[in-house]
Amino acid sequence: MTQPPVPRIQLNDGTSIPQLGFGVFKVDPKQTERIVTDALEVGYRHLDTARIYGNEEGVGRALAASGIPREQLFVTTKLWNDDQGTQSVFDAFDRSLDRLGLEYLDLYLIHWPTPRNDRYVETWKAFERLRESGRVRSIGVSNFLAHHLERLLDETDVVPAVDQIELHPYHQQPETAAFAEEHAIAIEAWGPLGQGKYPLFELPAVTGPAEVHGKTPAQVVIRWHLQLGNVVIPKSATPSRIRENFEVFDFELSPLDMTEVGGLERGFRTGSHHDNVA
Ligand code: NAD
């Protein structure tokens, strides 16, 4: 079946990002090239990796082997916590780009604010210089709460283009999402399916619309993100699910469906609290 093209979300720096991407957290480095190749064949053009995932090389090999023109791809990677600073940022960026085999990156993110180290403002100033160099088109952050974003806005010149945060029906982060919207910072949802840790796919709010539309619960949850305006980067290592997670542009949830999925908020996080990751 031919899929409609993936919509793009305008970013506050004049660039744009495909609204659906493919995340590779916990994708085994030895299998990454094959799995990313599958995703590219399905039609994904937006890939989300990180230094700490240890699989940037596999992503890079798949991109190179695909023959897809660079301008059709959107590649994100992230600076790990122990590389925060100034020169350490430039060095880490060079190494990531090398592992990915790319001349430039589409989006570079500070992975966590790690406020106890108090280096994210300095790190962001280094990100600003990287962007000026032209070797990264957009810069953003990840796991920043409203008060971390506020500090960047107060103390630096460039507003992050995106904040990639844990966001799924059980954990919707309304305060951070509202702050981001107010400042034109796009929200990217990580763990968009709750990492499969919660029984989201068995709840009537999700299974009901799935039955009506002849779709799967995972597709309903991805659709919910898309209709909220989130950028969404589900992960799977299973070919049928990689395809399933991409086939989400041929149906629409009703306003009532959206409200019911939104009503699943439980404040459940899959991971650590943002202020505690060192
Ligand atoms: P996710 O919510 O995408 O869940 C992935 C899991 O959901 C899979 O391992 C599988 O168990 C299940 N799943 C996927 N597709 C399914 C389907 N169609 N049907 C049934 N089950 C399905 O979680 P994630 O991988 O943590 O998040 C997505 C991406 O976000 C990551 O791969 C990574 O790129 C990014 N991420 C970023 C951070 C961060 O700190 N910035 C943290 C975690 C993840």
Side-chain angles (χ1 to χ4, degrees):
M1 193 179 84
T2 315
Q3 285 288 315
V6 174
R8 296 183 79 95
I9 298 277
Q10 289 303 312
L11 299 179
N12 62 18
D13 58 9
T15 64
S16 67
I17 182 170
Q19 199 183 0
L20 179 66
F22 184 71
V24 295
F25 178 45
K26 291 196 176 158
V27 172
D28 180 343
K30 292 194 218 73
Q31 295 186 22
T32 302
E33 182 176 353
R34 178 184 60 75
I35 290 170
V36 171
T37 299
D38 283 351
L40 293 169
E41 278 169 8
V42 163
Y44 294 86
R45 293 293 179 267
H46 167 185
L47 286 315
D48 184 272
T49 184
R51 183 209 112 185
I52 200 69
Y53 302 167
N55 56 21
E56 289 171 315
E57 281 109 335
V59 172
R61 280 196 300 272
L63 296 176
S66 74
I68 297 169
R70 176 67 184 93
E71 65 276 11
Q72 291 179 21
L73 297 165
F74 189 100
V75 184
T76 302
T77 193
K78 313 183 191 83
L79 178 91
W80 188 241
N81 305 338
D82 56 10
D83 287 323
Q84 287 199 22
T86 300
Q87 189 56 45
S88 53
V89 171
F90 302 142
D91 294 344
F93 177 82
D94 287 346
R95 287 192 297 266
S96 278
L97 216 54
D98 245 27
R99 284 189 291 265
L100 286 161
L102 297 176
E103 304 269 304
Y104 72 92
L105 204 62
D106 295 280
L107 177 62
Y108 198 35
L109 304 179
I110 301 180
H111 208 141
W112 288 88
T114 58
R116 278 183 292 167
N117 300 336
D118 197 22
R119 290 218 303 248
Y120 67 85
V121 173
E122 178 192 349
T123 300
W124 186 249
K125 290 179 180 168
F127 268 51
E128 291 176 336
R129 286 171 54 193
L130 279 176
R131 197 185 71 158
E132 281 163 21
S133 78
R135 291 196 305 147
V136 53
R137 301 274 156 94
S138 296
I139 52 175
V141 295
S142 176
N143 297 304
F144 276 48
L145 300 176
H147 61 279
H148 306 124
L149 290 170
E150 197 153 28
R151 189 160 165 223
L152 283 191
L153 265 51
D154 285 348
E155 298 183 29
T156 68
D157 297 327
V158 177
V159 177
V162 313
D163 189 4
Q164 184 182 115
I165 54 174
E166 177 176 356
L167 202 159
H168 46 77
Y170 271 0
H171 187 48
Q172 298 174 34
Q173 306 230 41
E175 194 193 335
T176 302
F179 187 93
E181 188 175 2
E182 191 185 333
H183 296 279
I185 300 167
I187 287 287
E188 264 193 86
W190 70 251
L193 303 173
Q195 295 188 333
K197 287 182 181 166
Y198 302 117
L200 263 184
F201 298 162
E202 290 151 32
L203 301 175
V206 175
T207 56
E211 272 170 40
V212 168
H213 294 287
K215 289 286 179 177
T216 66
Q219 289 171 322
V220 167
V221 174
I222 294 169
R223 189 68 218 172
W224 174 80
H225 283 285
L226 294 172
Q227 287 182 219
L228 282 179
N230 297 333
V231 178
V232 57
I233 47 173
K235 170 250 165 181
S236 175
T238 310
S240 60
R241 286 178 171 176
I242 293 173
R243 178 171 294 280
E244 176 184 326
N245 294 347
F246 194 75
E247 292 181 340
V248 288
F249 298 105
D250 55 357
F251 74 112
E252 197 166 344
L253 298 176
S254 70
L256 180 62
D257 295 337
M258 290 295 291
T259 306
E260 294 204 338
V261 178
L264 299 175
E265 170 68 54
R266 300 286 183 276
F268 288 170
R269 270 195 306 270
T270 62
S272 314
H273 190 275
H274 306 67
D275 278 333
N276 294 336
V277 175

